[in-house]
Amino acid sequence: MQWIEASTLDELQSALVQGYRVIGGGTGLLGDENPVEKVVDIRRFPDANQIVEYPSRWQLGPVVTLTHLQAWAKNHVPGLADGLNRLGTPVLRNLATVAGRLANREPTSDLYPMMRLLGTEVLVMSREDPQPRWMLLEYEGPLYGANRVWLALRIPRSTKRRRMVFEKITKARLNGSIVNGAVSWQQSVANGQIHVQMVISGVFEIPCHLSVCSKPLDLATKIRAQWQAFQQMGWVPIDDFRASAAYRAHVAGVVLERLLKTQSGFFESSLEEA
Amino acid sequence: MERVERRWSLSAQARYAVDWIDRTPGLVAGVLEAHRVPAVPHVTNLEELRGLPGIHAVVTATEVPATRFTTAGQPHKEPSPYDMAIINRVVRYMGEPVALIAAQTQDDLRRCLDRAIVEYHGLDGPLHASCPDNVLARWSTHIGESMGPIAGDGTMVTVQRQSHLQLEPHASMAMIEPGGRLVLWTTTQVPYHVRRIVARALECPASQIRVVATDVGGGFGSKQEVIVEPWVALLARLTGRVVKMQLSRRQEFLLGRTRHSATLRVASLWNGQNLSAMHLEVDVITGPYGGHGSSVAHNMALKTLPFYRCPRYEFDGQVRYAVGPVAGAFRGYGGPQGAMAVETHWDEVARRMGMDPAALRIGSLMQEGDPLDVLDPINDRRRVFRGDPIQDLIQKCLDAAEWSAPRGLNEGLGLALSMQASGVPQAELAMVRVVLQEDGMLWVTTGAVDMGQGAREVLRSIVADAVGISPRGIRIVPGDTDLEAFDYGTYASSTTFVTGSAAQKAAQQVKRQLQDLVDILPWRSKSQGPWGGYTIEELAEASFYGPHRRPVVGLGVAAPEQSPAPVAVLVAHVHVDSDIGQVTVQRLVAGVDVGHPINPIAVQGQIEGALAQGLGYALCEEVHVSDEGHVLTQSLRDYAYLSAMEMPPITVILTDTPDPDGPMGAKSAGEVAVAPVAPAIANAIYDAVGVRVRDLPITAQKVWQQMAQSQKSWATCELIKQQD
């Protein structure tokens, strides 16, 4: 195996042109079973393992570990810190990186729903386009594919005003994830309307995104309606050895209700405060 | 990366097989895996592959010895069928070798595997011509006078394949010594069985092979199988080079072994609250090869039925070949399957009778002196139960788990029992050699191996106790077949009881010889040393260089008739999330009778480990296999297993009742606590939410389905009531 370290964009671009791959996470990829002939290591990139605070955003290096993110989030995005606590075990969180966990997509992804709700963006470069560009974290699209490198992630600071809760249903803590859901909400000071977003993964091949802006009283009804619409859109729930389609759909419904219940508690307290 | 390897090689001791592999230059062995089964494969570009750079050998089925053998590491002549060759002409499981390859490097091996073209001629019909109906064995054993037909369907459970998940994969290295002897370094629980089985496979005398068993980084029965050893041995013989192989985790799932899946049915006949007859019926899937199948199936009965006093026992069953991975020995060896059926049945019967499940069991339990071999009417008194009264142990566990306290919402407690043996009854042999070295150290040579269970410490304690010296003065030398310490191996919870007995005998001889030496040496004041005034170092020197030149050597042989039964009682406390069926185990209380625990901390570790493995078996672990025989769970990302964080609080209650036959009064401890976990949890779930899951693993989905069905049934009942 050829292994080089890149610490500048030029070195990285040069490595990509020579056919080196950037591997984020998935240490098993380097084992006997998944031979990789050329690997470029970007751990020495400036701030690769740092979380840097800017006036409008927090910027995360791609090899920031989940443990690091969790420790940071405690003071900045408590909902994210709580959610991260339910991902794997401390051993896994010490090793797993944010970019690795997100870039190795899977339908039952657990980090994706939270990071998506936070409005995370990814700084991407590719062999064809050496100019790095910020793109919104989405489950599909130009973020993924061969020769793409995630150089950084950023979370807008406006996220701080949002509240977020995460729910995870799994066969076993380390693996066998069945359904994950995250909800975030924000109340407008001007008109009292609440903007609720939910991302549920594990039901369909692609995590589904629900978004409703409403007065508190109508909110649950609208979310449920949107969820039913998703189910009726012809999307086929995943049916595999981990869980049946029927069970996934049922669990997603339960997760949805629980998340709604959590945020309704918040609304009630908000209304009382108001 | 090179820097790391260099540092490793400088600092580390070669302790495990993979260490030897890493440090020794040699050829890399690989498997050209079957992708269609059952079929006769044909490598169409064999000569091209052989001509590839870096390829030293490519061997197919037509070029290996035709002798058939079993990979099950059991004493000769094995109860397992000889249904396997080193490479079989018919491939029967996905990943089975179509060819074995020896390459200069991993890259050469990979290129060869990538270029290989294999055509398959698919086969219909039975997996083995000798078994037209795929039934390897069938039996019907009915003991005692019939009290009438056993009515009702009883309790039917299905149990799944489980992976051993041992940390260290299978790994072996082979070389031909000058003179032609084959030397095998391997991670195995059974070095002498490896020697005999490889000798048979290669058609050579056993003494032409030396097996060096390394420390084992986790076995649980997986290394009671002789899988990679014949492969590297064959390639070493063909190439004359060092050949080494280490399975990947994916290959562990494909080429390794699993716990036997099975369907079991238990029924019982009652006269009031008195048990009149028990019937157990098993249908066991052994995979495409039969190793351990019949033995495991019989142990499903032998480890469960004797628990309950009964005038009549009936045991019917069959072992079937089927596509999918090969099943094999696994910690508990039939006990977990049997316990799931029998202990679930007892709970169901108790509920039906309106009785406390604990009270019903206590009324029928075996007592001191009751036979353990209840299915062998001629020899049923050869082994009898000895130990603490089981009802006392049950009561301690019930008290600790607050059995009688009111349950919280959706909380429940479940009870289950299990028993094991201490080595295979009437089928164990161990030799241990204890030699006093010149410097006063005692070297203890044994064919048993340490696989993390603490064999070294236990043998050291036994020898120290018998000789009367500090354990620090003892060195254990395990697992080398050239060191003349024959041993059936480390399985069936045998090491402490069987090898320990041999060690104790050898140590007692050493003590006598030391005393004899003291008697013929000049008298000295006892204040100068514990042995008639001599220190052990002085005696050692005198034994080699004194006027009498009498080396101190003890040879202990243990071939026990007895195999005392350790007993485990488990109470599980669970909470069920009634919305989604998710079970959270809140606490496990395990009471275990292992005779006298020689090393209580190690025993506690064994029990906790067994409970963890049992918990995975109960809740999530399953090797999923498609109808075509593909293993769907080929990685640790897919194979669900529990992490340390999911372990509930555990209370272990150890009794201390020395067994008269055990070394220092010990029985076995390694396996007994695996079996009761699944039925205890199933029973606790019933206690919590009133649904019975009889299909392992008890996933949230299954609980939810049962709850939904139960509510539907309840709703139907209500509807019928209203209509009436």
Side-chain angles (χ1 to χ4, degrees):
Chain A
M1 182 195 300
Q2 295 176 38
W3 182 288
I4 63 162
E5 289 176 344
S7 56
T8 65
L9 284 177
D10 287 343
E11 286 174 4
L12 183 56
Q13 176 66 14
S14 163
L16 289 178
V17 169
Q18 290 174 57
Y20 283 83
R21 280 181 59 188
V22 172
I23 295 176
T27 49
L29 292 171
L30 296 177
D32 295 343
E33 298 274 331
N34 295 287
V36 180
E37 291 186 357
K38 296 177 171 183
V39 175
V40 56
D41 184 345
I42 60 167
R43 283 177 292 185
R44 294 213 176 166
F45 240 73
D47 296 332
N49 60 357
Q50 298 295 316
I51 300 175
V52 183
E53 300 196 11
Y54 291 98
S56 63
R57 66 179 190 275
W58 296 294
Q59 189 160 312
L60 285 56
V63 294
V64 164
T65 63
L66 298 186
T67 299
H68 185 177
L69 181 63
Q70 188 182 9
W72 167 85
K74 271 181 192 165
N75 296 323
H76 298 86
V77 194
L80 176 62
D82 291 344
L84 285 165
N85 198 38
R86 304 188 58 187
L87 267 56
T89 62
V91 176
L92 184 136
R93 293 196 294 268
N94 286 341
L95 291 169
T97 61
V98 177
R101 192 83 172 178
L102 292 171
N104 292 294
R105 284 176 298 172
E106 56 180 356
T108 51
S109 170
D110 45 15
L111 184 59
Y112 176 82
M114 288 187 281
M115 296 301 277
R116 178 68 183 84
L117 288 186
L118 294 176
T120 305
E121 292 178 302
V122 183
L123 184 63
V124 191
M125 76 168 284
S126 67
R127 187 170 63 189
E128 295 75 24
D129 182 5
Q131 182 60 42
R133 292 174 200 286
W134 286 104
M135 296 182 187
L136 184 65
L137 174 68
E138 289 184 307
Y139 193 75
E140 292 184 307
L143 282 177
Y144 307 94
N147 310 318
R148 301 287 199 283
V149 185
W150 291 21
L151 296 170
L153 297 95
R154 69 181 182 192
I155 301 172
R157 268 180 179 263
S158 56
T159 296
K160 196 164 186 178
R161 294 200 300 273
R162 300 185 72 84
R163 298 282 294 270
M164 187 172 72
V165 173
F166 174 70
E167 183 80 49
K168 180 180 173 77
I169 308 296
T170 178
K171 208 167 170 183
R173 190 179 176 102
L174 272 174
N175 50 24
S177 198
I178 295 173
V179 168
N180 303 286
V183 60
S184 74
W185 62 93
Q186 190 173 15
Q187 190 161 19
S188 161
V189 182
N191 58 15
Q193 287 222 334
I194 293 171
H195 183 206
V196 172
Q197 291 190 75
M198 286 178 139
V199 176
I200 305 270
S201 69
V203 186
F204 306 112
E205 288 296 332
I206 298 170
C208 47
H209 194 163
L210 296 81
S211 181
V212 168
C213 195
S214 164
K215 292 280 186 191
L217 291 175
D218 300 333
L219 206 62
T221 313
K222 285 189 175 181
I223 285 276
R224 285 188 196 110
Q226 212 175 85
W227 172 243
Q228 281 166 7
F230 253 110
Q231 290 184 295
Q232 288 162 5
M233 270 160 50
W235 287 29
V236 181
I238 300 167
D239 194 342
D240 64 10
F241 59 82
R242 288 178 181 175
S244 69
Y247 185 62
R248 283 178 192 277
H250 167 75
V251 169
V254 172
V255 167
L256 198 87
E257 292 297 331
R258 285 182 180 175
L259 292 174
L260 278 172
K261 202 171 169 186
T262 311
Q263 54 91 340
S264 70
F266 166 73
F267 297 141
E268 282 159 16
S269 61
S270 308
L271 290 171
E272 280 169 18
E273 282 170 23
Chain B
M1 291 181 99
E2 278 179 18
R3 193 174 62 241
V4 174
E5 283 169 14
R6 214 164 32 241
R7 199 165 57 225
W8 167 253
S9 64
L10 284 173
S11 64
Q13 297 293 314
R15 184 175 167 193
Y16 297 99
V18 289
D19 299 337
W20 287 100
I21 287 175
D22 281 350
R23 303 166 122 211
T24 313
L27 303 181
V28 180
V31 174
L32 177 57
E33 298 174 7
H35 294 300
R36 183 181 167 190
V37 295
V40 177
H42 174 60
V43 184
T44 59
N45 60 341
L46 194 56
E47 290 313 312
E48 181 201 341
L49 299 181
R50 285 175 173 153
L52 290 174
I55 297 301
H56 290 253
V58 182
V59 199
T60 60
T62 54
E63 299 148 302
V64 300
T67 304
R68 303 185 83 71
F69 58 95
T70 174
T71 61
Q74 298 166 306
H76 186 72
K77 184 179 186 296
E78 301 89 339
S80 300
Y82 288 178
D83 54 7
M84 191 178 269
I86 296 180
I87 305 174
N88 296 291
R89 295 188 183 212
V90 175
V91 286
R92 298 177 176 90
Y93 64 91
M94 299 291 181
E96 183 170 355
V98 170
L100 294 170
I101 300 163
Q104 191 69 37
T105 65
Q106 284 286 357
D107 287 344
D108 295 330
L109 174 63
R110 190 157 312 286
R111 271 191 287 277
C112 182
L113 291 172
D114 288 346
R115 289 193 72 85
I117 301 168
V118 185
E119 287 180 353
Y120 295 92
H121 174 67
L123 296 176
D124 294 324
L127 284 165
H128 294 268
S130 56
C131 294
D133 54 359
N134 277 331
V135 176
L136 171 63
R138 187 179 279 135
W139 62 89
S140 179
T141 307
H142 293 191
I143 305 297
E145 194 182 336
S146 171
M147 319 281 268
I150 301 176
D153 293 335
T155 303
M156 185 175 284
V157 304
T158 55
V159 293
Q160 79 282 28
R161 297 175 180 91
Q162 182 186 18
S163 173
H164 298 83
L165 277 199
Q166 81 284 359
L167 195 61
E168 177 202 41
H170 287 80
S172 295
M173 181 173 80
M175 66 171 284
I176 307 294
E177 276 185 336
R181 280 184 92 216
L182 175 81
V183 186
L184 265 170
W185 287 263
T186 188
T187 170
T188 180
Q189 298 171 229
V190 287
Y192 283 89
H193 294 332
V194 168
R195 184 175 71 163
R196 191 189 71 254
I197 290 169
V198 172
R200 179 179 170 83
L202 294 183
E203 299 175 346
C204 75
S207 59
Q208 280 298 300
I209 298 174
R210 175 187 175 193
V211 175
V212 181
T214 60
D215 275 358
V216 176
F220 311 121
S222 69
K223 289 164 185 170
Q224 198 189 334
E225 297 279 344
V226 185
I227 301 173
V228 298
E229 291 90 344
W231 300 344
V232 290
L234 175 78
L235 291 170
R237 205 158 77 163
L238 286 173
T239 61
R241 302 277 299 273
V242 173
V243 176
K244 47 198 194 175
M245 183 177 206
Q246 177 185 329
L247 296 188
S248 65
R249 183 57 61 184
R250 184 189 64 81
Q251 287 175 317
E252 281 291 331
F253 282 113
L254 265 67
L255 311 179
R257 301 291 183 259
T258 69
R259 194 185 290 287
H260 288 77
S261 61
T263 303
L264 302 93
R265 194 177 74 84
V266 189
S268 54
L269 184 64
W270 293 81
N271 179 12
Q273 291 175 11
N274 297 319
L275 180 64
S276 302
M278 278 186 81
H279 175 89
L280 173 63
E281 193 178 329
V282 301
D283 179 16
V284 178
I285 303 299
T286 185
Y289 296 100
H292 291 285
S294 291
S295 328
V296 166
H298 279 84
N299 272 278
M300 292 177 191
L302 292 171
K303 290 174 179 169
T304 53
L305 297 182
F307 246 121
Y308 302 105
R309 281 182 154 182
C310 180
R312 181 172 170 85
Y313 297 99
E314 298 178 359
F315 179 40
D316 297 332
Q318 62 178 10
V319 178
R320 285 189 291 128
Y321 285 123
V323 293
V326 186
F330 200 140
R331 192 182 199 179
Y333 206 80
Q337 296 96 323
M340 180 62 196
V342 172
E343 294 300 309
T344 303
H345 180 69
W346 275 81
D347 208 73
E348 288 184 16
V349 170
R351 303 279 179 180
R352 219 162 33 228
M353 288 182 178
M355 281 189 72
D356 181 327
L360 183 69
R361 283 179 172 87
I362 287 171
S364 301
L365 281 173
M366 68 176 173
Q367 306 291 328
E368 176 109 15
D370 279 357
L372 291 170
D373 298 321
V374 294
L375 297 174
D376 182 357
I378 297 169
N379 296 310
D380 73 346
R381 291 279 150 189
R382 213 159 43 171
R383 283 199 323 131
V384 295
F385 175 69
R386 290 187 307 241
D388 256 9
I390 302 167
Q391 56 268 36
D392 293 355
L393 194 56
I394 292 176
Q395 196 55 55
K396 284 178 191 167
C397 293
L398 297 181
D399 292 344
E402 300 179 38
W403 180 264
S404 305
R407 317 284 197 256
L409 181 65
N410 294 333
E411 285 186 7
L413 273 74
L415 169 70
L417 316 179
S418 72
M419 65 190 286
Q420 191 71 24
S422 299
V424 182
Q426 290 99 42
E428 289 289 354
L429 175 63
M431 288 164 58
V432 170
R433 195 176 295 276
V434 179
V435 180
L436 182 64
Q437 303 294 317
E438 289 175 73
D439 60 358
M441 286 288 289
L442 278 180
W443 284 22
V444 180
T445 309
T446 169
V449 297
D450 196 322
M451 53 178 183
Q453 87 281 41
R456 273 194 175 89
E457 292 309 314
V458 164
L459 294 177
R460 195 176 276 131
S461 297
I462 290 170
V463 171
D465 179 71
V467 178
I469 63 168
S470 162
R472 292 182 181 197
I474 296 168
R475 178 179 173 232
I476 306 294
V477 186
D480 184 335
T481 57
D482 267 14
L483 297 180
E484 299 170 33
F486 190 92
D487 197 299
Y488 279 0
T490 301
Y491 59 88
S493 297
S494 65
T495 301
T496 297
F497 184 76
V498 182
T499 311
S501 295
Q504 190 179 44
K505 289 177 183 174
Q508 286 164 348
Q509 291 173 24
V510 164
K511 185 174 186 180
R512 278 197 296 275
Q513 291 172 30
L514 285 169
Q515 199 54 56
D516 291 346
L517 195 60
V518 168
D519 291 345
I520 58 174
L521 288 172
W523 184 87
R524 281 168 71 171
S525 162
K526 282 200 173 177
S527 62
Q528 290 176 268
W531 300 84
Y534 291 91
T535 63
I536 192 86
E537 291 82 5
E538 288 169 328
L539 288 180
E541 188 182 343
S543 72
F544 285 105
Y545 304 114
H548 305 288
R549 284 164 291 166
R550 190 182 284 186
V552 176
V553 179
L555 176 63
V557 177
E561 280 293 303
Q562 281 297 326
S563 176
V567 168
V569 175
L570 186 73
V571 181
H573 181 176
V574 306
H575 174 266
V576 181
D577 180 333
S578 56
D579 289 336
I580 56 173
Q582 191 118 38
V583 176
T584 305
V585 180
Q586 299 197 315
R587 190 183 175 199
L588 295 175
V589 176
V592 190
D593 172 7
V594 295
H596 168 64
I598 295 175
N599 183 338
I601 293 174
V603 172
Q604 173 107 8
Q606 285 274 27
I607 303 305
E608 289 175 2
L611 294 174
Q613 206 150 29
L615 208 52
Y617 185 56
L619 294 176
C620 61
E621 289 190 45
E622 181 169 13
V623 177
H624 288 271
V625 180
S626 73
D627 292 343
E628 297 79 31
H630 286 283
V631 174
L632 302 174
T633 43
Q634 294 191 11
S635 76
L636 295 179
R637 284 175 69 83
D638 297 317
Y639 183 85
Y641 63 100
L642 300 179
S643 67
M645 292 186 73
E646 287 152 293
M647 286 302 292
I650 292 173
T651 304
V652 176
I653 300 168
L654 286 178
T655 64
D656 189 347
T657 310
D659 183 85
D661 289 315
M664 298 175 71
K667 299 182 192 177
S668 73
E671 298 177 85
V672 66
V674 177
V677 183
I681 287 174
N683 296 340
I685 291 169
Y686 184 85
D687 191 47
V689 291
V691 299
R692 183 74 68 181
V693 182
R694 302 180 184 87
D695 176 19
L696 291 184
I698 305 172
T699 60
Q701 179 176 325
K702 289 177 190 171
V703 177
W704 169 72
Q705 281 167 336
Q706 288 289 329
M707 289 176 74
Q709 210 163 5
S710 158
Q711 279 161 6
K712 210 181 287 175
S713 316
W714 181 82
T716 312
C717 289
E718 288 297 302
L719 195 68
I720 292 168
K721 271 189 211 163
Q722 284 170 13
Q723 285 170 350
D724 286 347

